[in-house]
Amino acid sequence: KVPIKSNLGRISYGIRWVKPSGESGTKKYSKDDFVSSVSSNIKEIQEANKRLGFDIVDFIKDGYSLPDKGFKLKISSIENRDGDGDEVAFNMVIYDVKSNDVAVTLTRAINVLDKSMYHDTFFIDSSYQKSGLGTSITEQAEKTYMKYKIEEIYLTANASVGGYAWARMGFDFRLDSDRERIKNSFMRKLYLLKLPLEEKSKAMEAVNSFTHAWEFANFKPFGKDFMLGTTWEAYKILNPNHITYKIGE
């Protein structure tokens, strides 16, 4: 292990993969795991495995396959996002087994230096929205991250429901500036509401004390409406002792 300063200013330990003695050849991957040919991804797979210390394909399949729920996973691509290979991104498609329709397309990236995850894009077809599929994907992914000793997740909370939904799942503000911006927006909206003066005063006092994203989202009866459509940089720590993990449960 080599001490490395992470992008958040912390000192973490980058893992350098060592080939086990006696191991030879390259693991054979099933073509059924990929949208296109395996060979087009093999160079990136081999490099990612060396840098991560585990098999990237097994990791993806563990985290995002949902056969018991009637869905199958295929990997579109695995790619290094920078010249040094410090960030490995993988694009995935999740199909409905019965109809073979695309239910979800998503992109995730792993930082090989501090083994943190970045949740990039996530698109769920309208036919599968409000079905619980998105929650199932997130829950399984988080369990897999913990299995592989990955504790940090980062994402941008946005889209129509993201600002509310991610807060409810235990994600918190990564940037103080986002928290203050959301708080100020809440205060302005509260001020404009036609409420009895005493009720409005108490509500504004409560909001002014908030520090976590889920406090805004859970604020009755306005939190959900206020958080829908907001955009902010988010993080979650997958440690049972950390507040973001406890809220997410």
Side-chain angles (χ1 to χ4, degrees), residues 27-46:
K27 178 177 177 178
K28 291 184 178 180
Y29 298 102
S30 171
K31 64 180 181 180
D32 293 333
D33 293 332
F34 293 83
V35 172
S36 57
S37 65
V38 181
S39 59
S40 64
N41 292 277
I42 199 66
K43 182 179 179 180
E44 285 75 14
I45 292 171
Q46 291 172 335

Side-chain angles (χ1 to χ4, degrees), residues 223-234:
K224 181 177 181 179
D225 289 338
F226 284 4
M227 287 296 278
L228 289 173
T230 58
T231 299
W232 43 281
E233 295 303 315

Side-chain angles (χ1 to χ4, degrees), residues 200-218:
K200 182 181 292 188
S201 178
K202 288 182 178 179
M204 293 181 74
E205 183 178 356
V207 169
N208 194 47
S209 70
F210 291 167
T211 58
H212 301 293
W214 52 83
E215 293 178 297
F216 293 93
N218 293 331

Side-chain angles (χ1 to χ4, degrees), residues 43-61:
K43 182 179 179 180
E44 285 75 14
I45 292 171
Q46 291 172 335
E47 181 61 27
N49 292 350
K50 291 178 183 178
R51 301 294 301 278
L52 289 169
F54 55 74
D55 189 279
I56 187 70
V57 175
D58 288 345
F59 170 73
I60 295 170
K61 290 167 63 178

Side-chain angles (χ1 to χ4, degrees), residues 27 41 55 61 98 110 121 129 138 152 157 165-166 209 219 225 228:
K27 178 177 177 178
N41 292 277
D55 189 279
K61 290 167 63 178
K98 289 184 178 179
I110 182 168
T121 61
Q129 293 176 6
T138 299
E152 301 175 4
W166 291 118
S209 70
F219 182 59
D225 289 338
L228 289 173

Side-chain angles (χ1 to χ4, degrees), residues 139-154:
E139 289 178 348
Q140 179 164 317
E142 290 187 1
K143 289 178 181 177
T144 301
Y145 297 166
M146 295 178 74
K147 173 183 173 183
Y148 283 81
K149 309 300 182 185
I150 294 171
E151 289 193 349
E152 301 175 4
I153 309 175
Y154 300 98

